[in-house]
Amino acid sequence: MVLATASSLSDIGSLKSVGLHKLKGDLAGFWAVSVNGPWRIIFRFADANAYDVEIVDYHQG
């Protein structure tokens, strides 16, 4: 997966189809990419690594 090998957010953002975007509000500091339907992978990115990676249904909550 691209997240595992990315050394910068531009490595992920270059894949336009994943819809990389910065989150706001309670999830400020997280980034998200699309998976399928309402599902997103959210994560923090620092020091060339993804942290706190989680798959979430963004319609829930």
Side-chain angles (χ1 to χ4, degrees), residues 20-41:
L20 175 68
H21 60 282
K22 194 172 192 176
L23 299 176
K24 304 178 206 173
D26 293 342
L27 292 173
F30 278 84
W31 291 83
V33 293
S34 301
V35 178
N36 192 14
W39 298 99
R40 302 288 183 261
I41 296 174

Side-chain angles (χ1 to χ4, degrees), residues 3 7 19 33 36 42 48 51-52 58 61:
L3 257 181
S7 60
V33 293
N36 192 14
I42 64 170
Y51 298 94
D52 303 322
Y58 72 92

Side-chain angles (χ1 to χ4, degrees), residues 26-27 56-61:
D26 293 342
L27 292 173
V56 298
D57 178 346
Y58 72 92
H59 287 135
Q60 303 268 326

Side-chain angles (χ1 to χ4, degrees), residues 6 10-11 16 21 25-26 49 57:
S10 64
D11 292 339
K16 302 290 184 211
H21 60 282
D26 293 342
N49 289 293
D57 178 346

